[in-house]
Amino acid sequence: MNIQPFTIAVPQADLDDLAGRLAAARWPREALGAEWERGVPLAFLKELTVYWAQGYDWRAAEARLNAFPQFTTEIDGQRIHFVHVRAARPDALPLLLTHGYPSSFTEFTEVIENLRQDFHLVVPSLPGFGFSTPVGGDGWAMGRTARAWAELMSRLGYDRYGVHGGDIGAGVSGAVAGLAGEHVAGLHVTTDPATAAATATFLPGMADRLDPADPVDAAALERMAKFRGAGNGYLAIQNSRPQTIGYLLNDSPVGQLGWIADSVERWTDLPYDRDWLLTNVSLYWFTGSGISAANFLYEQAHSTDWGAPPAAPQGFAVFGADATVRRLIDPPAGCHWTEFERGGHFPALEAPKLLADDLRAFFAPLR
């Protein structure tokens, strides 16, 4: 039950080591293929690496993150790191926010600022991600994580709360709502929880249920094809060989940067802060969590522990460039459903105010 305050303090020796590795990066002689067709373009990654080494300020990012109250606790043998921001109103509804891959708790910083007057906010790092390391054993997939989240909310004294997530976070949030339904006021997601449990954007065969002659379905198929093109490679590797790719992610900051930037660039629709990308990648680098985060997807791909279907009221916020399609999800009748024309797979990063407003609208009648 012990909860300890936590402050991010990366040793200067780690910063110096990163600078040396970036300066000594071994680049290929030439770029092959069209831009983004085979992965991250050489010129793009070189420019981003130079900025990481010479323009980006980790200490400033560290100070901004440390402005949020952070804590660690041990649950089921695993160290769990989390942000906990209490609203000024004691009767505010607690809200549990869960990130996905290749993201971190840092994705929610602007959403926290938008919601901190209305909700008590709990934002944990998934097991094996960031400061929720090292991993305390096998089996840390969505089901086990959901049980840890329910325990975390209980330790914080929250008997009734809302849950939200996207990507892996949607699957974990859905599992919390199925596991601890009597405590969950509502489940709000930006991607389908059942699909997230399969660690893919959509289940095999789902595209076959769409009609390419229908304009709405055709647009959805186009989004799916784009998402799949950027996503199948990393999923295939991390679902099967996380240890092998983990050596690259743990030893080469340029490799870790390229691995994450590939997904972020391809899956975003609106402009995002380049410094956030480097803060996110730096977090993976300094904590050595690239390999354990990759392993989370392997654990989920080989898990049958998906929990019970959520019984709580459900809300969806769907952002236009993502691959979430209402007809494929078939949400419960009367559920909250909001569609935004723009935005992609990381709405907390791309459109934090839109997401925050939708969370307020969904949970207002559920308080």
Side-chain angles (χ1 to χ4, degrees):
M1 300 292 287
N2 193 21
I3 295 175
Q4 296 290 333
F6 178 80
T7 300
I8 304 172
V10 172
Q12 185 60 42
D14 289 358
L15 289 169
D16 295 341
D17 175 73
L18 172 61
R21 289 171 184 261
L22 293 175
R26 184 180 180 219
W27 296 99
R29 291 190 181 92
E30 60 183 350
L32 301 174
E35 278 206 352
W36 296 102
E37 185 179 278
R38 306 187 190 196
V40 182
L42 178 61
F44 173 90
L45 196 60
K46 273 190 171 182
E47 189 276 334
L48 195 55
T49 299
V50 169
Y51 179 69
W52 195 8
Q54 300 177 11
Y56 171 75
D57 186 349
W58 165 257
R59 291 302 186 200
E62 191 177 67
R64 286 193 296 272
L65 294 176
N66 281 331
F68 297 112
Q70 297 172 62
F71 305 86
T72 60
T73 190
E74 184 176 308
I75 301 176
D76 193 13
Q78 175 62 44
R79 182 195 203 211
I80 300 297
H81 160 265
F82 62 99
V83 169
H84 186 200
V85 177
R86 290 187 184 271
R89 293 172 42 200
D91 64 340
L93 180 71
L95 180 58
L96 176 65
L97 306 173
T98 305
H99 66 85
Y101 183 89
S103 192
S104 63
F105 78 97
T106 63
E107 183 185 344
F108 288 112
T109 54
E110 292 300 318
V111 170
I112 292 171
E113 294 293 358
N114 273 278
L115 293 179
R116 64 188 306 162
Q117 301 302 318
D118 304 290
F119 297 89
H120 301 306
L121 298 165
V122 181
V123 191
S125 297
L126 290 166
F129 289 68
F131 299 107
S132 289
T133 50
V135 177
D138 295 338
W140 281 103
M142 293 181 187
R144 190 174 180 184
T145 301
R147 289 189 288 275
W149 276 197
E151 171 62 21
L152 174 62
M153 297 304 278
S154 176
R155 287 188 188 185
L156 294 174
Y158 294 139
D159 185 62
R160 187 171 182 272
Y161 49 88
V163 291
H164 163 81
D167 192 79
I168 291 172
V172 172
S173 298
V176 173
L179 169 75
E182 70 276 18
H183 300 289
V184 175
L187 164 67
H188 185 279
V189 293
T190 57
T191 47
D192 180 21
T195 299
T199 63
T201 309
F202 53 92
L203 297 173
M206 289 183 79
D208 297 340
R209 292 159 51 192
L210 297 178
D211 179 5
D214 180 273
V216 175
D217 284 6
L221 285 167
E222 183 178 351
R223 293 197 305 270
M224 285 181 171
K226 178 182 178 182
F227 206 99
R228 263 182 131 174
N232 274 2
Y234 95 92
L235 275 176
I237 293 173
Q238 294 187 182
N239 285 358
S240 60
R241 312 299 289 170
Q243 187 74 22
T244 302
I245 191 65
Y247 298 119
L248 164 71
L249 303 179
N250 194 69
D251 188 61
S252 169
V254 173
Q256 179 70 87
L257 175 60
W259 195 249
I260 290 179
D262 192 17
S263 296
V264 173
E265 278 291 314
R266 293 295 295 270
W267 297 347
T268 49
D269 176 54
L270 297 172
Y272 65 89
D273 184 359
R274 179 171 62 167
D275 279 11
W276 171 82
L277 173 61
L278 292 173
T279 296
N280 186 53
V281 174
S282 297
L283 190 66
Y284 277 76
W285 177 255
F286 290 134
T287 60
S289 57
I291 188 168
S292 52
N295 193 64
F296 191 101
L297 275 72
Y298 177 92
E299 292 284 358
Q300 185 57 43
H302 294 80
S303 174
T304 57
D305 182 16
W306 295 358
Q314 295 184 47
F316 290 81
V318 177
F319 290 78
D322 203 10
T324 304
V325 183
R326 181 167 189 158
R327 187 147 65 86
L328 297 183
I329 292 175
D330 191 23
C335 85
H336 174 95
W337 184 279
T338 309
E339 293 190 13
F340 298 98
E341 184 177 343
R342 299 296 304 277
H345 196 62
F346 304 96
L349 171 66
E350 301 173 70
K353 188 176 186 307
L354 291 179
L355 179 58
D357 287 347
D358 199 70
L359 283 162
R360 285 193 195 92
F362 171 65
F363 283 108
L366 303 176
R367 292 181 179 276

